[in-house]
Amino acid sequence: MKKSLLSLSIGLLALPAFAHTYEGVEYTLNNAALTAEVTTNATATGDIVIPDEFVVPQTQRTYKVISIEASAFEGSTITSIKIGDNVNYIGRWAFYGCAALKSVEFGTSISNGLEIPALAFQGATAITSVTCNATVPPYIYGGTFDDVVYSNATLYVPESAMTAYKDMMSNNWYKFSKIEAISGTPDNPGPDPGTKVDVINVDGLVYNLNHTDLTATVGAAYKAAGYDISGYSGNVVIPEEVTANDATYTVNYLYPECFYRTNPVTIKFPETLTAVGWEGFYQINTLTKLEFPNSVETIEAGCFYSLANVTEILLGSGLKTIEGKSAYTSYCFGTLPALTKLTCLATTPPSIQETTFQPAIKANCTLTVPAGTAEIYKNAPYWDGFKEYVELENPGVGVETITDAEDAPVRYFNLQGQEIANPGEGQLVIVRRGNSSSKMIWK
């Protein structure tokens, strides 16, 4: 008897993968791993539930459902799909052309897979509800769902993950125009009345909001599908603050690739800006000059790469770090054929890397620095090699920028950068209104 049972067990283990139908859905079973994959179900209809696992009656074995294969439900007439918590892979075209599909629910483990591919739900234009129970958003493409779904459907997600799903820089879930927190059970989701807006669109610029420290990040224009991005081109003005959720948010960061694929002619940066993200100005041909406020402390990798017509860049006095190359560039300052003047107002040379400046750019460019610091810059790591080193006459004030409001107070400085209340007749002074300054003889 023991021998017969042993033979039966060996026979079961040796069985190849085979098809099995469970509650109207076709699966392929892997007997070695005891896993199941949803396969071709083009004739499926109605409400479909993909369970976490199921038992095969003939063998009493339990199979864990781990994937939905490519084209599994393509063209079917299913009306809803609820996907179990063990599924961590969904194939391309899995629900392509499911015109009757109205409701989709993903389990908790979907974020363990690589992505939900493009075209997975294309053609399923009747979807009005999408629930994702994963606390870490799985990656989706802009084309995973149709644009009409992003516009009309409500996305329900865990309340703790609301900010992650709304982050327009890390995934495409933000494209859903309505994102609400799951309340009650996933079977009966509903909106959270206390939900705050995480992304806003103001004057053609898109901002991600941080509710903890009340800061705002200027988003990458090319990732802001569905938003007005007119503010990224022409004469751009980035404000110091934006308002939303009955609060004021300070604009302090430009997100990586912020102006990539845009056409700014001039950009006025706020005095609240502290960092510029990697490849922030990658491949822009419309700019000729860039001036950054003294508040900027960090410039990330590959920031000024392939700017064909930029002749001059000014870096403020607060700059501490300029990174080097990025994943897609060879230098931070690279392929700048027109650049002839770089000004850095920091009295201590910012920390840079070997790949911060392309050698050919330094050889063609004059570096202008604060009075008394030319030799310091020459001897600082990787700051050597510029065509010429020029010291500013009045490092305290003397760089012109875009004029502020006409009603800004007028202030006077001597050539050493010291403010003076009452200039004397014939005295050479710096007249400053807001961020605009000029040199004149006082009469």
Side-chain angles (χ1 to χ4, degrees):
M1 183 64 180
K2 290 182 178 178
K3 182 176 181 181
S4 297
L5 288 174
L6 180 60
S7 297
L8 177 59
S9 298
I10 292 173
L12 288 173
L13 289 173
L15 283 174
F18 62 93
H20 177 74
T21 301
Y22 178 78
E23 294 187 351
V25 177
E26 292 289 332
Y27 296 87
T28 295
L29 306 182
N30 183 320
N31 291 301
L34 293 179
T35 56
E37 299 175 346
V38 181
T39 52
T40 304
N41 285 270
T43 60
T45 189
D47 298 329
I48 302 296
V49 175
I50 307 299
D52 298 346
E53 58 187 28
F54 57 80
V55 177
V56 175
Q58 296 92 325
T59 62
Q60 288 300 300
R61 287 184 161 197
T62 301
Y63 291 80
K64 182 186 293 186
V65 183
I66 61 170
S67 70
I68 299 174
E69 295 304 297
S71 301
F73 292 93
E74 182 176 352
S76 70
T77 58
I78 64 173
T79 53
S80 70
I81 181 73
K82 181 177 179 180
I83 300 169
D85 285 342
N86 290 325
V87 172
N88 61 20
Y89 173 80
I90 295 176
R92 199 171 177 86
W93 307 297
F95 299 92
Y96 187 88
C98 293
L101 182 60
K102 295 181 180 180
S103 175
V104 178
E105 181 175 342
F106 300 101
T108 57
S109 295
I110 191 65
S111 58
N112 294 332
L114 294 177
E115 61 191 17
I116 301 174
L119 306 180
F121 290 89
Q122 280 283 315
T125 56
I127 294 174
T128 58
S129 175
V130 178
T131 300
C132 191
N133 291 290
T135 54
V136 176
Y139 186 82
I140 65 171
Y141 289 84
T144 296
F145 296 90
D146 282 285
D147 287 342
V148 68
V149 174
Y150 289 122
S151 297
N152 296 335
T154 300
L155 172 64
Y156 298 99
V157 299
E159 184 173 5
S160 63
M162 287 281 286
T163 299
Y165 278 90
K166 290 181 177 182
D167 184 354
M168 55 179 277
M169 296 4 143
S170 62
N171 59 67
N172 285 287
W173 291 103
Y174 79 90
K175 294 184 69 175
F176 282 91
S177 60
K178 292 171 285 187
I179 304 178
E180 306 289 353
I182 296 171
S183 61
T185 67
D187 294 325
N188 185 30
D192 175 5
T195 299
K196 295 181 179 180
V197 175
D198 291 330
V199 180
I200 61 172
N201 201 171
V202 182
D203 296 330
L205 294 172
V206 179
Y207 302 86
N208 260 29
L209 306 179
N210 185 317
H211 307 308
T212 302
D213 61 8
L214 293 180
T215 58
T217 295
V218 184
Y222 85 100
K223 292 186 176 183
Y227 289 91
D228 173 15
I229 58 171
S230 60
Y232 291 84
S233 297
N235 295 315
V236 179
V237 178
I238 302 174
E240 293 188 354
E241 298 175 336
V242 292
T243 57
N245 306 310
D246 295 323
T248 300
Y249 297 78
T250 301
V251 179
N252 69 343
Y253 184 52
L254 302 186
Y255 198 83
E257 303 175 304
C258 183
F259 285 92
Y260 177 48
R261 298 183 187 173
T262 62
N263 298 293
V265 176
T266 63
I267 304 175
K268 182 181 179 182
F269 301 101
E271 296 289 339
T272 53
L273 190 69
T274 59
V276 180
W278 52 263
E279 297 178 19
F281 305 94
Y282 182 54
Q283 290 185 344
I284 297 175
N285 295 326
T286 49
L287 284 170
T288 58
K289 187 176 182 180
L290 281 167
E291 296 184 356
F292 294 91
N294 294 332
S295 56
V296 173
E297 298 180 352
T298 303
I299 292 175
E300 296 181 3
C303 194
F304 308 108
Y305 196 83
S306 190
L307 303 177
N309 296 303
V310 168
T311 61
E312 182 177 350
I313 296 176
L314 176 126
L315 308 174
S317 61
L319 189 62
K320 298 177 181 178
T321 302
I322 309 175
E323 296 180 356
K325 66 180 181 179
S326 68
Y328 301 100
T329 69
S330 303
Y331 299 91
C332 185
F333 289 74
T335 316
L336 297 165
L339 185 66
T340 58
K341 183 177 180 180
L342 174 67
T343 300
C344 186
L345 299 181
T347 54
T348 299
S351 172
I352 64 175
Q353 302 174 14
E354 186 176 5
T355 57
T356 296
F357 293 102
Q358 185 177 16
I361 289 175
K362 290 200 285 186
N364 190 49
C365 186
T366 296
L367 177 64
T368 302
V369 295
T373 66
E375 288 300 317
I376 297 174
Y377 271 84
K378 285 182 184 179
N379 295 315
Y382 308 119
W383 280 100
D384 60 318
F386 280 90
K387 177 182 178 181
E388 187 180 8
Y389 294 79
V390 175
E391 295 185 354
L392 286 168
E393 183 179 353
N394 54 315
V397 289
V399 180
E400 291 186 1
T401 57
I402 300 171
T403 304
D404 271 355
E406 293 183 0
D407 59 352
V410 177
R411 300 166 65 191
Y412 305 101
F413 298 82
N414 61 24
L415 297 186
Q416 288 71 47
Q418 299 170 324
E419 188 166 5
I420 50 180
N422 299 301
E425 184 174 351
Q427 183 178 2
L428 185 61
V429 296
I430 301 296
V431 181
R432 183 162 184 162
R433 182 189 294 273
N435 283 333
S436 179
S437 60
S438 59
K439 190 182 297 184
M440 66 175 291
I441 295 177
W442 187 257
K443 294 183 180 181

